[in-house]
Amino acid sequence: MGKVESSGGRRLIAGAIGLALLLGIGIGLHLRGPAPAPIGEPAAPAPASPAPAPPAAPAEGEPAAPVGERADAEGWVDQEATIYHGIPTRIRFRMPRDRAAEGADLAREAWARFEDIGKRFNAFDMDSEVGTFNASTQDVRAVSGEFSALLDVSREVWGLTRGAFDPTVWPVKALWRQAERTNQVPNDTLIEAARARVGLDKLTAVRRSALMGKAPATQASTPAQSGGPSLVHRGAAGIALDFGGIVKGYAVDRVVALLAERGATDWLVQCGGEIAAHGRSPSGEAWRVGIRHPLQKDAVWGSVSTPGDLFVSTSGNYEQPVRIGSREFHHIVDPRTGRPVESPVLGVTVVVLGGQNPNARADAFATALTVMPLDAAQELVQARSDLAALFIVRGPDGRPTEVVTPRMRDLVRSER
């Protein structure tokens, strides 16, 4: 969903407001949508589609390695691929001149990290870690450190959004996926039965190290304090997890951490609607992220830029409604109600201004802000010094207009 700024600083990373690509942002429910095109260089934004299923490991026959590679004398490596069953992804970074030869190996490691996270957290894969967790009937189950980290960030955003973001949404998602297959709208009884198994308060996580007396045994640890495997207790039968609304951002965070650790000086990492940028683009200017017009596929609404690090996520609900029987529904489901969202918000662009796991948090917040009523979403963003957001809203006349939070005004520029 992005195009990297090229020489002259005039080409944009085209971040699509709303619907972050086919299998990406996902507390909301993806019911259908076209697969996005791979990332390219034209200035027009890439197509977007509803996005809320979790990333998947590459399909059989789908290359996990990048489809193209570019490097130059300045030490830049630029590779892109379609991963997780249809998400355009790009890794662009620069190594110091005396270490330029290390770029190819580092790129391979970065793609391997993306692939590993996809395999671990694909809820549709019964052999993945989250798949085996969901299938288990055990009340208490051991999980890995990365699983624990995703739970930590999820719990933070779940609490701040009062449940608008909730990775335990899987039972509700499964119900509406079945409704699409059978062409029958679920009745209130089925919805309430599924919703009874949703709620992050029904899960308790305790670090194994805490049980051994090495750390505080609290599930409310901040992401910066979290680390290591946990034991997770399910407080009700049938609770299952879908990290689709956070794991693309988390994957970007993990790839960025690798680039920083290995000495890259500047980079752009993008997976669908999740983008992290650091340093300067090849033109020598700050990176810019383009915001797609919500109702004009090839038009740019505006752009976001900052001289420092940039962590951006997009989500939205402006694609064609899903039809089940004679009724139409938005593709995003509110985990608090178990029902499709009804909102004038067409799309949200969220910028996280630093902190731990910034792209994972941006990913989760973007979905939650799409689910929440506009007033509540604005209030949340304005109350937090680490968030900025731009909402594109359908007005009474059907035309889109924007609502920009105060901190976002310093970052956004109109391209219309």
Side-chain angles (χ1 to χ4, degrees), residues 239-328:
I239 294 176
L241 290 163
D242 170 22
F243 287 121
I246 189 171
V247 75
K248 284 204 292 89
Y250 180 73
V252 169
D253 285 332
R254 297 280 286 113
V255 170
V256 164
L258 175 66
L259 297 180
E261 177 186 334
R262 293 286 298 276
T265 58
D266 308 270
W267 59 74
L268 181 290
V269 179
Q270 180 252 348
C271 182
E274 318 311 317
I275 299 172
H278 169 80
R280 296 285 174 171
S281 72
S283 69
E285 300 177 14
W287 298 99
R288 294 170 58 207
V289 174
I291 301 168
R292 197 196 117 179
H293 193 292
L295 302 181
Q296 299 176 23
K297 184 172 64 173
D298 296 325
V300 174
W301 181 277
S303 63
V304 179
S305 183
T306 180
D309 291 342
L310 189 60
F311 312 106
V312 184
S313 180
T314 66
S315 184
N317 64 350
Y318 57 81
E319 290 293 317
Q320 292 183 352
V322 171
R323 292 175 176 83
I324 302 177
S326 60
R327 301 176 61 183
E328 293 184 349

Side-chain angles (χ1 to χ4, degrees), residues 201-246:
D201 55 335
K202 297 179 176 67
L203 283 183
T204 303
V206 180
R207 287 289 189 272
R208 286 185 175 183
S209 57
L211 296 175
M212 299 173 64
K214 297 181 180 180
T218 64
Q219 65 183 35
S221 299
T222 65
Q225 296 170 324
S226 64
S230 294
L231 296 178
V232 178
H233 175 260
R234 280 186 269 220
I239 294 176
L241 290 163
D242 170 22
F243 287 121
I246 189 171

Side-chain angles (χ1 to χ4, degrees), residues 41 58 111 127 133 185 246 254 293 302 306 313 359 384 389 406:
E41 281 293 347
W111 289 112
D127 294 326
F133 179 91
V185 177
I246 189 171
R254 297 280 286 113
H293 193 292
T306 180
S313 180
N359 276 96
R384 295 193 58 83

Side-chain angles (χ1 to χ4, degrees), residues 15-387:
I17 272 264
L19 320 185
L21 295 184
L22 183 57
L23 292 178
I25 296 171
I27 278 313
L29 168 66
H30 169 60
L31 296 177
R32 71 180 182 193
I39 306 167
E41 281 293 347
S49 59
E60 183 177 357
E62 178 183 348
V67 296
E69 178 174 344
R70 292 185 291 278
D72 60 27
E74 296 299 320
W76 282 97
V77 174
D78 186 4
Q79 297 183 2
E80 55 194 68
T82 300
I83 66 173
Y84 301 161
H85 291 296
I87 298 178
T89 303
R90 187 170 194 171
I91 300 173
R92 191 174 197 180
F93 64 91
R94 177 164 59 180
M95 296 295 292
R97 289 192 181 189
D98 61 345
R99 298 177 57 193
E102 301 175 29
D105 287 341
L106 179 54
R108 280 191 289 271
E109 290 183 47
W111 289 112
R113 184 159 291 189
F114 267 128
E115 183 176 4
D116 176 66
I117 293 170
K119 288 179 177 179
R120 284 173 178 261
F121 299 109
N122 175 17
F124 294 93
D125 180 0
M126 297 298 291
D127 294 326
S128 70
E129 184 175 9
V130 71
T132 57
F133 179 91
N134 290 348
S136 172
T137 58
Q138 296 174 314
D139 291 341
V140 178
R141 186 169 179 86
V143 300
S144 68
E146 288 203 308
F147 194 113
S148 303
L150 280 169
L151 276 179
D152 284 345
V153 184
S154 296
R155 193 177 300 279
E156 176 194 8
V157 180
W158 171 80
L160 291 170
T161 63
R162 300 183 180 181
F165 174 84
D166 193 331
T168 66
V169 73
W170 183 256
V172 169
K173 175 180 285 189
L175 176 66
W176 284 92
R177 287 175 62 86
Q178 181 182 17
E180 186 189 23
R181 289 193 296 268
T182 62
N183 202 34
Q184 292 184 334
V185 177
N187 59 36
D188 291 347
T189 300
L190 291 173
I191 292 173
E192 291 306 310
R195 197 171 67 85
R197 291 177 284 149
V198 174
L200 202 50
D201 55 335
K202 297 179 176 67
L203 283 183
T204 303
V206 180
R207 287 289 189 272
R208 286 185 175 183
S209 57
L211 296 175
M212 299 173 64
K214 297 181 180 180
T218 64
Q219 65 183 35
S221 299
T222 65
Q225 296 170 324
S226 64
S230 294
L231 296 178
V232 178
H233 175 260
R234 280 186 269 220
I239 294 176
L241 290 163
D242 170 22
F243 287 121
I246 189 171
V247 75
K248 284 204 292 89
Y250 180 73
V252 169
D253 285 332
R254 297 280 286 113
V255 170
V256 164
L258 175 66
L259 297 180
E261 177 186 334
R262 293 286 298 276
T265 58
D266 308 270
W267 59 74
L268 181 290
V269 179
Q270 180 252 348
C271 182
E274 318 311 317
I275 299 172
H278 169 80
R280 296 285 174 171
S281 72
S283 69
E285 300 177 14
W287 298 99
R288 294 170 58 207
V289 174
I291 301 168
R292 197 196 117 179
H293 193 292
L295 302 181
Q296 299 176 23
K297 184 172 64 173
D298 296 325
V300 174
W301 181 277
S303 63
V304 179
S305 183
T306 180
D309 291 342
L310 189 60
F311 312 106
V312 184
S313 180
T314 66
S315 184
N317 64 350
Y318 57 81
E319 290 293 317
Q320 292 183 352
V322 171
R323 292 175 176 83
I324 302 177
S326 60
R327 301 176 61 183
E328 293 184 349
F329 300 90
H330 280 302
H331 71 282
I332 296 178
V333 170
D334 187 337
R336 300 166 300 182
T337 67
R339 292 167 170 80
V341 172
E342 295 183 8
S343 172
V345 176
L346 296 171
V348 183
T349 290
V350 174
V351 175
V352 168
L353 305 170
Q356 297 290 324
N357 301 300
N359 276 96
R361 287 162 49 228
D363 193 354
F365 274 118
T367 301
L369 296 177
T370 305
V371 169
M372 297 170 67
L374 179 58
D375 289 347
Q378 288 180 264
E379 182 179 351
L380 171 63
V381 174
Q382 293 175 16
R384 295 193 58 83
S385 61
D386 59 344
L387 292 181

